[in-house]
Amino acid sequence: MSEILESADLVPARMLNEFTYCPRLAYLEWVQGEWADNPDTLDGAFVHRNADRPDHQPIDTPKTEAAVDEKFHARSVRLESAALGLVAVVDILEVEGNVATPIDYKKGHAPDIPEGAWEPERVQVCAQALLLREAGFTCTEGIIWYSASRRRVRIPFDDVLVARTMELIAGCRDMAQGGKMPLPLVDSPKCPRCSLVGICLPDETNLLLHEAQSPAPTPQKADAPRMLLAPRPESIPLHVVEPGARLGKRNDRLVVELKTEKIGEVRLKDISQVCLYGPVQVSTQVMAELFEREIPVCYFSTGGWFRGIAHGLPHKNIELRIRQHAVAADPARSLALAKQFVAGKIRNCRTLLRRNTEDDADGLLESLAQSAREAERADNIASLLGIEGMAAKRYFAGFAKLLKEERGFRFDGRNRRPPTDPANATLSFLYAMLARELTVAALACGLDPYLGFLHQPRYGRPALALDLAEEFRPLLADSTALSLFNTGELKPDDFVCRAGAVALKPAGKKAVVAAWERRLLSDVTHPIFGYTISYRRVVMVQARLLGRVLAGELPEYPAFKTR
Ligand code: SF4
C-alpha cells in the first residue's frame, strides 16, 4: 500500500491491480496523481498498517523453533526490475531455502469464485512473483490474505496468469506513455465502489461524449447518469469574521478564541477550508495541521477582498496544468471557452430575472437571450467583452427593480473599489467568496487558478477562478444578495460608511456568510445530468468538466445553466 511511483519507467504492481480493474483508474492515480479515500480505501490502509507492524505475525507462521530456523519472513519488501519495468512492495515475504512466497494483504472477504481471488489481485501478486523470480528465487505460488474472512488463498502462478500479467504490464506502460486518459467504463458496476468516481465522472463524461457525437436528439439517447456522487460534501468551510480572533488547535479540533474566551470549536475532519476575514491570528501549529490535511486557508481583507490562499504542496496533476497552459496560449481554444463562460452567465442572469418578475414588458428577457446568442457567436475576446458589458448593464438595471423599497436598499448600478452603497458592498463581498470557492475548486482539481481564458492574467488575480465564477454569479451571489435584502436578514445598519466607502459590520458579515453557506448547500436539479446535488458539488463538477475539456476528452465546456 505504501508503494509509490519513483520512476516513470517502472509500473508499480499496485497500479497494475488498478489497471486491471479499470485502465482509467490507473491513469488518474498514476499519471495524474489523483487520490480520494472512500470506506474501502480506508479499510485497506488499516489492513496494511497491521501487516507493516513489526510485532504482527502473519497467519500460519510456523511456531516451532525448528520451523523458524527454516523459514523467515520480511515485511514491506521493495523489489524492482528495469528489465521487467516493474516495481512492487511485498506485504510479507516468506522465504524457505530458495523458495519465496509473496503474501499480499487484502481487506474484505475472499470471493467465492473458482480462481479464489479477483483478477486484479491475482495479477498484482503474480507481478511480485515475476520480480522474485528475476531476483533468483523459485516462486510458484503466492498467497492472498483476506482479513475479513481471515483466510489465506493460494494463487498458483501458471503460464496463463504469467502471460496475462506480462500483457497487462506492457498495456499499463503504453497507457502512461501515450498520455491519453482511457475512456470511462460504461454503466459498470465497478464505478459505484471506485474511490475516484467523483473525480472520474464516468456516466457524466459518457453522456457528454454521446451528446457531442449526436447533437440532434436521437432515439438512442444515452442513459441518464447514475447518482454516484455524494450529493453534498462531508465537510464545509470554517469562516472566522470576528476581528482580533485567534485560531488554535486542541487535539483534533480547531478552537476560535477572542481574548481568552472560546467563541467556537469545530472538528478538523468537518472542515473543507478555513476563511479568515481581517485581523484574525492563526498559530503555526494550526497551519501545519491544515496543510497536512490538505485544507486551504483563505485570507480576506476586513472589507471582504479575497487577498490570497495558503495551502500545502500543489496538486500532483502537472499534466493537466501543462494542457491548461497550452490552451491558454491558443487564442481560438481560449475564445471557445470564454464564449461558454459569458453565454452561461448571461443565460443565468436572464433566469434570475425571469423567476423574479411577472412580465417582460420592457423586453429585458428577450434582449438578454439575444445577448447570450451573440456571445456564442462572438469571433474575438474584445467583442465578447463588449457583449458581456452591455448585458451586465441591462441585467443590473433589472436587478435593481427586484429590491423591495420598504427594506431600505437602493441599487443604482455596480460600483466597487470601494463600494459606495450597502447593496454593492454586499455584492462585492459575495463575489469575493465566489472567487474563493472557485479558486479552491480549481486547486483541488489540479488546475492553475491564475491562468484564465476570458480574464487575462494579472498579478495576484485568480483569472481562471473568475472565469469559472461567471456562470455562478447570478445563481449563487446575486440570488443570495437578493434574499438577504428582501427578507430583512440584512438591514441598513449592518453597514458602516467611512470616507465614502461602505463595508459590512461583523454582524452583517456573519449574516452574509451564513446565507452564502445555505445557498451552497441547497440542492439543484442538474440541467444536463438530471440528478439532484448541492450547488457546492455543482461547482466542483464544473471545475472537473473544464479539466476534461482542457485534457481534450470533451470537445466543449458545458456551462451550468439552470432552467
Ligand atoms: S469511476 Fe469507473 S470508469 Fe472511473 S476510474 Fe473508477 S472504475 Fe474507472
Side-chain angles (χ1 to χ4, degrees):
M1 193 68 184
S2 55
E3 202 168 82
I4 53 167
L5 179 65
E6 290 185 1
S7 161
D9 296 330
L10 301 181
V11 175
R14 190 170 69 81
M15 283 304 146
L16 206 54
N17 178 324
E18 313 285 29
F19 182 76
T20 314
Y21 186 82
C22 168
R24 185 175 173 94
L25 175 62
Y27 193 93
L28 283 166
E29 279 191 21
W30 185 22
V31 180
Q32 298 202 334
E34 297 283 7
W35 180 254
D37 274 318
N38 69 4
D40 285 349
T41 63
L42 292 172
D43 279 356
F46 186 75
V47 167
H48 281 81
R49 199 181 60 175
N50 276 344
D52 292 345
R53 263 178 28 214
D55 60 336
H56 181 79
Q57 289 299 316
I59 297 303
D60 292 356
T61 298
K63 299 289 187 300
T64 66
E65 277 185 22
V68 170
D69 283 346
E70 289 164 11
K71 281 189 182 178
F72 80 86
H73 296 84
R75 290 176 180 78
S76 300
V77 179
R78 191 180 189 285
L79 303 164
E80 71 171 67
S81 160
L84 288 168
L86 200 57
V87 58
V89 176
V90 181
D91 288 337
I92 306 269
L93 182 60
E94 190 175 87
V95 178
E96 185 172 16
N98 195 42
V99 176
T101 305
I103 303 174
D104 201 44
Y105 273 53
K106 296 292 177 210
K107 65 167 193 66
H109 293 272
D112 187 15
I113 55 175
E115 298 87 349
W118 300 112
E119 188 188 36
E121 298 165 344
R122 287 185 290 120
V123 164
Q124 182 178 356
V125 79
C126 183
Q128 296 170 359
L130 295 178
L131 287 162
L132 288 164
R133 289 181 183 178
E134 171 95 353
F137 289 98
T138 299
C139 186
T140 56
E141 67 171 26
I143 288 167
I144 299 178
W145 161 247
Y146 287 96
S147 68
S149 41
R150 298 189 62 76
R151 225 177 96 202
R152 286 164 68 111
V153 172
R154 294 186 180 279
I155 307 295
F157 301 133
D158 57 29
D159 291 347
V160 175
L161 181 57
V162 168
R164 174 71 175 144
T165 304
M166 296 295 283
E167 177 194 357
L168 288 163
I169 294 168
C172 193
R173 193 182 308 109
D174 288 350
M175 175 201 69
Q177 289 172 350
K180 190 167 187 298
M181 181 154 65
L183 288 172
L185 304 177
V186 176
D187 201 23
S188 170
K190 294 177 180 178
C191 298
R193 296 204 62 178
C194 175
S195 69
L196 294 197
V197 69
I199 294 170
C200 165
L201 301 176
D203 290 10
E204 293 83 349
T205 304
N206 283 328
L207 178 73
L208 292 170
L209 284 172
H210 178 89
E211 294 197 343
Q213 282 155 12
S214 36
T218 62
Q220 315 89 347
K221 190 170 167 59
D223 289 339
R226 294 165 290 174
M227 183 69 214
L228 301 178
L229 300 170
R232 295 198 172 109
E234 284 165 7
S235 51
I236 57 171
L238 168 69
H239 298 267
V240 186
V241 301
E242 207 65 52
R246 182 175 172 79
L247 198 57
K249 175 177 167 292
R250 259 178 233 142
N251 300 322
D252 61 347
R253 286 167 181 267
L254 286 189
V255 179
V256 187
E257 290 177 329
L258 190 58
K259 298 187 179 143
T260 52
E261 187 192 347
K262 181 166 88 177
I263 57 171
E265 186 178 33
V266 62
R267 290 185 305 182
L268 274 154
K269 75 188 209 26
D270 295 335
I271 300 172
S272 62
Q273 315 160 24
V274 172
C275 304
L276 308 174
Y277 299 82
V280 176
Q281 307 301 315
V282 193
S283 72
T284 309
Q285 188 196 17
V286 169
M287 292 300 278
E289 182 71 36
L290 294 173
F291 289 168
E292 178 70 28
R293 291 173 181 253
E294 299 183 5
I295 298 173
V297 183
C298 304
Y299 292 90
F300 293 82
S301 69
T302 304
W305 280 108
F306 179 33
R307 277 181 163 158
I309 185 166
H311 55 87
L313 295 173
H315 196 290
K316 294 176 195 153
N317 194 350
I318 186 67
E319 182 195 57
L320 184 57
R321 290 198 287 279
I322 290 171
R323 293 182 189 228
Q324 180 185 352
H325 282 249
V327 173
D330 180 337
R333 291 189 68 191
S334 291
L335 177 64
L337 285 169
K339 289 196 292 190
Q340 295 302 325
F341 299 139
V342 171
K345 170 184 165 180
I346 297 174
R347 287 193 194 282
N348 287 337
C349 286
R350 181 182 180 279
T351 301
L352 183 144
L353 295 181
R354 178 174 55 74
R355 286 180 181 170
N356 289 281
T357 43
E358 282 164 14
D359 57 39
D360 187 26
D362 47 8
L364 181 55
L365 298 184
E366 179 43 39
S367 103
L368 288 175
Q370 175 66 18
S371 296
R373 289 192 290 272
E374 287 170 10
E376 281 160 355
R377 293 195 299 266
D379 57 12
N380 62 68
I381 288 282
S383 72
L384 182 63
L385 289 172
I387 294 163
E388 193 250 337
M390 287 303 296
K393 207 167 167 194
R394 288 197 296 267
Y395 161 71
F396 278 123
F399 180 83
K401 293 182 188 162
L402 303 183
L403 301 189
K404 291 181 179 166
E405 266 179 46
E406 64 271 26
R407 297 292 184 190
F409 289 101
R410 273 177 60 88
F411 183 73
D412 298 319
R414 273 294 281 151
N415 61 63
R416 55 209 180 108
R417 294 176 188 256
T420 58
D421 58 74
N424 273 293
T426 307
L427 284 175
S428 290
F429 193 84
L430 286 163
Y431 291 156
M433 288 208 286
L434 180 60
R436 180 259 307 161
E437 195 74 34
L438 270 307
T439 301
V440 170
L443 284 168
C445 297
L447 295 162
D448 179 348
Y450 295 96
L451 185 65
F453 307 100
L454 169 66
H455 293 84
Q456 297 308 300
R458 199 170 69 203
Y459 182 77
R461 173 159 84 168
L464 182 72
L466 295 175
D467 284 1
L468 278 164
E470 291 293 357
E471 66 210 58
F472 292 110
R473 282 176 191 267
L475 300 178
L476 297 179
D478 300 352
S479 64
T480 301
L482 207 53
S483 158
L484 283 162
F485 299 145
N486 286 350
T487 59
E489 217 175 325
L490 265 188
K491 299 184 180 57
D493 64 7
D494 283 319
F495 297 84
V496 59
C497 181
R498 285 198 197 98
V502 174
L504 283 151
K505 292 179 186 170
K509 270 185 219 159
K510 277 186 196 161
V512 177
V513 166
W516 171 256
E517 287 299 325
R518 283 200 305 275
R519 185 65 180 158
L520 268 281
L521 287 179
S522 65
D523 290 338
V524 58
T525 301
H526 199 288
I528 302 173
F529 305 138
Y531 49 51
T532 299
I533 52 174
S534 69
Y535 269 110
R536 182 161 268 136
R537 268 283 188 245
V538 172
V539 164
M540 188 58 86
V541 168
Q542 290 304 111
R544 296 251 174 241
L545 292 177
L546 177 62
R548 298 282 180 266
V549 177
L550 298 176
E553 183 169 70
L554 294 176
E556 189 174 74
Y557 174 70
F560 181 84
K561 292 169 276 193
T562 52
R563 300 206 176 101

